[in-house]
Amino acid sequence: MRNIGILLSGRGSNFVAIADSIAAGRIPDARIAVVISNKPDAPGIAVACKRSFEALVIASKGKAREDHDREVAASLKQHGVELVCLAGYMRLLSPWFVQQFPRRILNIHPSLLPAFPGLEAQEQAFAYGVKISGCTVHFVDEELDHGAIIVQKAVHVRDDDNERTLAARILEQEHLAYTEAINVVLDGKFEIVGRRMKLRTQNSG
Amino acid sequence: MRNIGILLSGRGSNFVAIADSIAAGRIPDARIAVVISNKPDAPGIAVACKRSFEALVIASKGKAREDHDREVAASLKQHGVELVCLAGYMRLLSPWFVQQFPRRILNIHPSLLPAFPGLEAQEQAFAYGVKISGCTVHFVDEELDHGAIIVQKAVHVRDDDNERTLAARILEQEHLAYTEAINVVLDGKFEIVGRRMKLRTQNSG
């Protein structure tokens, strides 16, 4: 049984999607070992409690980044977490934290990176007038929205969309993409060449 | 009959695709009135001659940007051109030129803009490790690869791709995208709100 740890700061819709995927057998042999929020009032924590997951608040307010990260990492390790999934975690991770879980931290971003990094990616894409946006699951490295890409899903922008309808359709794809990416990473049958993540074929070893 | 003018600097594969689309009736009531290269040795000019299109070299070398643009614009107007299609035209257009053909200059770029502007977009995308790239047809404004987007097409990057195979699949989509975009612009049934180009519905006038 592989242990997944979730970090969130808000409602954690991707946390719920991961939990649902595990419950439905779409992520085999895995469980959510702990859900950690850096914000005491994150609605995702209430959901985690209601669903009887181990749920913790490790408040970040007023703490130096690495001090907070050390508390979080200690808790993740104590729960035997081998894969860390960010689900709307609104805090940059320190290089120290990233090194604790090499290629074991995933994030999801609501755009086709490298387009529209940062906050409100869906709104950025809508305002830019792209005809295709989407979402990206990537490994987390020391830079914001930057690590090697695992899965991307495209979403067509419709003429009658507004920011909300577009964000809602992207969110549906996020849930599919995260499940797919978690399976790839837990299976371990991939290689990263430069920045390119590829599935390992039998020939390539 | 609507007159299209083509500007190119190289082989002009998108020029050939547009010519083929017109010949096949996919761009109705239109013709290529003139093909202009800023480079004397552009292979696209030889193709234009062979296909009996009006083909001109207006060399840009050593000329100030706007001086050259004035020669090109004069020729386009002389040929009654109402839509200018860039097909690998390796020269920035002056603001003066852009103002001569408001919302009447199109460019195609081999990425999903705003990702990977500039040269060798396919190589940039491949090296970045995106899982989805594509192409963009957009109006030309004063900034490089920047104007309002008319059509985008997504292309999945495969694990066994290299830069060439990816560029070849993007090129297939470029040909489809350019034909689609030319029809939208010639039909004139669109509106631009901010940067967003939308088809005009009957209700919106």
Side-chain angles (χ1 to χ4, degrees), chain A residues 112-114 116 126-132 149-150 152-154 157-159 161 195-199, chain B residues 113-114 116 126-132 149-150 152-154 157-159 161 195-199:
Chain A
L112 292 178
L113 289 172
F116 311 118
F126 185 82
Y128 197 92
V130 295
K131 300 299 182 191
I132 298 172
I149 292 169
I150 305 161
Q152 292 187 306
K153 300 266 183 203
V157 183
R158 296 178 188 157
D159 279 355
D161 264 331
R195 281 188 52 90
R196 283 195 83 211
M197 199 222 71
K198 312 197 289 183
L199 294 187
Chain B
L113 289 172
F116 311 119
F126 185 81
Y128 197 91
V130 294
K131 301 298 181 190
I132 298 172
I149 292 169
I150 305 160
Q152 293 188 304
K153 300 265 183 204
V157 183
R158 296 178 188 156
D159 279 356
D161 264 331
R195 283 189 51 91
R196 284 194 84 210
M197 200 223 71
K198 313 197 287 183
L199 294 187

